[in-house]
Amino acid sequence: GAWGSVFIGMLQQMYGTFQAEIDIRIWRRPNKLVDKATLEKLMVVINKDETTLRRLRNNSVYLKYVSARLGDRKLTADELLQDGFCLNLPDLPLCPLKVITELDEAVYDADIIINGLPSTETRSVFEKVGKVFSHTRGDSHPWPVIISLSKGVETKMKPHPHILTPTLIIHEVTGIPLENCMYLGGPNIAAEIWRGEYATARLCGSSKKLRKALSAFLRNDDFVVWTSSDTITHEVMGGLKNIYALGMGITTAVTNNSATSKAVYFSNAAAEMVFITRLLSQRPDELQGPLLADTYVTLLKGRNAWYGERLGAGIYHPSMGDYVPGKGLIQGVSAVHAFHDLLSQKDVEIFDRVTEKHVSPVEALPTLCMLKEYLQTGKNESCDSKSPEERKSEMVEAGKVFITKLKDASATDPARRLRTESLYLPMLTTLPGEEISEEIDDGDDDNAINGPKFTVASDEE
């Protein structure tokens, strides 16, 4: 993906001259062919940028791109990455990267592993990583540190309803201690980070020692890394913001970019995000600082908002799927279904202060329900069963219904409707067979949390 490629490119720029001490490499699945439209765009970008043009010429690879553009040969995504281009970011040349296409070769001796995979791919890939580690790790070669960039969750309904964030998935399938599994997130648009625009992020994990060392390692003049021990809230928010960004895009399209309507939507979305984090974390960080900023930039300019806007305008249709060439996987789509399914389970109940009854949490989350319903529009139909005009009309009408329901939901102040205290449901983040831990990270690594819970107060270094 774009962010994973930019992140490794940033490290390459920072540490590439220390090849004897630091070996930076990126794994990518091999043999994914680059389509003609992307090649045409690449050639425009290459020929317009003298620095890139000269680099490709000096490395004797420019003619390879000319031949591919003329249809005389094929180019793969891993070849692009090796030459400094990301398939999902073709407009922006990066730096050349050391690309490895064999997973075991990429990870077997790594001290730090960056997880730039979508949350939907994390389990399948790290199961393979775990098998590699079962043969290569021991007393003489300790566990690596994981820094996960992945946003989203996996939901499981048995033996009890619960979620697995990417760091929990990695811990479960590899055996890497949780104190070695960290999450990095913040208001980061990949292309803008690469251009050197000033940005901040938070590195989250239960080990203060690792947080402090790695935040210094990742930090540069334009990319400031703060720290927090509240991993669960930051990972969950990373998934939730993608969900609610879809709705912001829909609202933007249907209301002709009305700032007032988008503000109404944001007030409802923010209240629901806070509500959900309080179900999943005992002492969650507040929706402020990087958490709020990450939500803001995703709703403003992220690919999920971009996709939602095109759904609202009828340019895209749910039956087309959630992968967009040049953008990648739209993670908010699967996250909507995952959170809706989890929070509608009969085993998961809260007390609704409006109806004064015990209900499933999803009943108190009208915006999440609206998004679920909206994404079901024509979902079971073949993409070819309707003309483009019919699909557009269907999505435009669904968008109008969405806004009508937003108005209905806004009849009650969401801050009053959604009680945000005493909501914590420990089972939702507890792995089967593991005890619930309520320890607090006091900054002493000897007391670092090793259980499945990181529901602790944030501390900043």
Side-chain angles (χ1 to χ4, degrees):
W3 179 218
S5 300
V6 164
F7 192 81
I8 296 301
M10 183 173 66
L11 292 179
Q12 178 66 32
Q13 284 193 322
M14 292 167 62
Y15 296 109
T17 56
F18 301 95
Q19 294 183 12
E21 294 83 14
I22 302 177
D23 179 23
I24 300 171
R25 57 214 185 206
I26 184 168
W27 171 76
R28 201 203 192 287
R29 293 181 180 91
N31 304 323
K32 181 177 178 62
L33 294 177
V34 182
D35 61 86
K36 183 178 179 181
T38 301
L39 287 169
E40 290 175 350
K41 186 179 294 185
L42 266 177
M43 286 303 299
V44 172
V45 171
I46 290 169
N47 290 321
K48 189 169 60 175
D49 183 6
E50 288 188 7
T51 301
T52 302
L53 185 60
R54 185 172 288 108
R55 171 168 63 80
L56 295 180
R57 184 204 63 185
N58 293 345
N59 292 337
S60 302
V61 294
Y62 176 70
L63 290 180
K64 176 174 68 176
Y65 287 86
V66 175
S67 297
R69 169 62 184 85
L70 294 174
D72 296 335
R73 63 157 293 172
K74 302 292 184 182
L75 266 182
T76 61
D78 50 287
E79 287 181 279
L80 259 60
L81 201 54
Q82 188 172 351
D83 293 331
F85 300 103
C86 175
L87 187 63
N88 290 332
L89 205 62
D91 294 332
L92 191 68
L94 307 178
C95 61
L97 298 173
K98 180 179 178 180
V99 180
I100 306 294
T101 56
E102 295 295 333
L103 183 60
D104 54 352
E105 181 184 352
V107 303
Y108 80 98
D109 64 344
D111 299 303
I112 301 172
I113 296 178
I114 312 295
N115 173 31
L117 298 161
S119 59
T120 51
E121 299 288 332
T122 295
R123 175 176 293 276
S124 61
V125 172
F126 273 89
E127 283 176 345
K128 298 172 184 175
V129 172
K131 291 178 181 178
V132 175
F133 287 167
S134 67
H135 301 294
T136 61
R137 301 290 163 151
D139 294 338
S140 61
H141 199 171
W143 291 110
V145 173
I146 304 294
I147 300 175
S148 180
L149 312 178
S150 182
K151 299 173 175 66
V153 300
E154 190 179 89
T155 54
K156 300 288 185 183
M157 303 308 161
K158 295 182 180 180
H160 63 267
H162 63 283
I163 65 166
L164 289 162
T165 61
T167 56
L168 281 174
I169 294 170
I170 292 168
H171 161 67
E172 182 185 50
V173 300
T174 64
I176 296 173
L178 270 176
E179 64 182 23
N180 283 36
C181 297
M182 314 187 81
Y183 168 74
L184 181 83
N188 309 136
I189 300 295
E192 296 181 356
I193 299 297
W194 184 253
R195 294 189 189 106
E197 297 185 25
Y198 189 75
T200 60
R202 263 190 184 150
L203 182 66
C204 306
S206 65
S207 168
K208 184 175 182 179
K209 181 179 179 181
L210 288 176
R211 292 197 304 267
K212 186 173 182 179
L214 288 171
S215 63
F217 177 74
L218 299 174
R219 183 174 184 148
N220 61 43
D221 291 343
D222 298 316
F223 188 72
V224 177
V225 181
W226 301 333
T227 65
S228 170
S229 56
D230 185 8
T231 310
I232 189 71
T233 299
H234 286 78
E235 282 194 286
V236 168
M237 271 295 195
L240 289 177
K241 69 185 180 64
N242 289 334
I243 289 176
Y244 290 98
L246 291 170
M248 181 61 82
I250 296 166
T251 303
T252 298
V254 178
T255 66
N256 294 317
N257 200 26
S258 163
T260 302
S261 296
K262 291 195 294 183
V264 171
Y265 174 82
F266 181 75
S267 68
N268 284 270
E272 292 192 12
M273 286 189 282
V274 170
F275 179 85
I276 293 171
T277 59
R278 275 151 179 70
L279 291 172
L280 301 172
S281 183
Q282 187 177 20
R283 302 175 185 89
D285 275 359
E286 297 296 330
L287 184 57
Q288 60 184 5
L291 275 176
L292 179 60
D294 195 10
T295 302
Y296 167 76
V297 77
T298 300
L299 269 61
L300 179 73
K301 200 174 178 180
R303 72 178 121 173
N304 288 276
W306 174 91
Y307 180 76
E309 188 171 351
R310 276 147 186 79
L311 285 177
I315 299 171
Y316 288 146
H317 191 276
S319 63
M320 295 176 176
D322 55 3
Y323 181 84
V324 179
K327 289 288 184 180
L329 183 68
I330 308 301
Q331 293 183 311
V333 175
S334 61
V336 167
H337 299 297
F339 274 100
H340 187 278
D341 291 348
L342 176 76
L343 299 178
S344 59
Q345 293 297 305
K346 63 179 181 180
D347 296 337
V348 183
E349 287 190 338
I350 57 158
F351 183 76
D352 184 353
R353 66 186 303 174
V354 176
T355 63
E356 296 188 347
K357 296 188 299 184
H358 283 89
V359 298
S360 293
V362 76
E363 294 184 36
L365 301 168
T367 309
L368 179 63
C369 294
M370 288 154 47
L371 287 166
K372 169 83 171 181
E373 181 181 350
Y374 184 86
L375 292 173
Q376 293 295 109
T377 305
K379 182 69 174 178
N380 297 323
E381 301 172 1
S382 167
C383 188
D384 298 326
S385 63
K386 294 181 179 179
S387 69
E389 291 76 18
E390 289 174 322
R391 290 200 303 267
K392 179 176 181 178
S393 176
E394 183 177 41
M395 295 312 297
V396 169
E397 287 303 314
K400 293 177 181 178
V401 173
F402 182 91
I403 295 301
T404 298
K405 291 185 176 181
L406 174 63
K407 293 177 181 177
D408 293 340
S410 303
T412 304
D413 183 348
R416 296 177 62 84
R417 184 179 70 245
L418 296 171
R419 196 176 78 181
T420 58
E421 66 274 1
S422 303
L423 288 171
Y424 177 50
L425 299 175
M427 74 170 177
L428 293 180
T429 48
T430 302
L431 297 177
E434 294 198 88
E435 295 183 359
I436 298 171
S437 170
E438 297 186 2
E439 296 179 80
I440 300 176
D441 177 11
D442 61 2
D444 183 351
D445 282 337
D446 291 336
N447 296 321
I449 300 170
N450 293 312
K453 303 288 299 155
F454 331 133
T455 51
V456 292
S458 153
D459 66 292
E460 297 289 328
E461 281 97 17

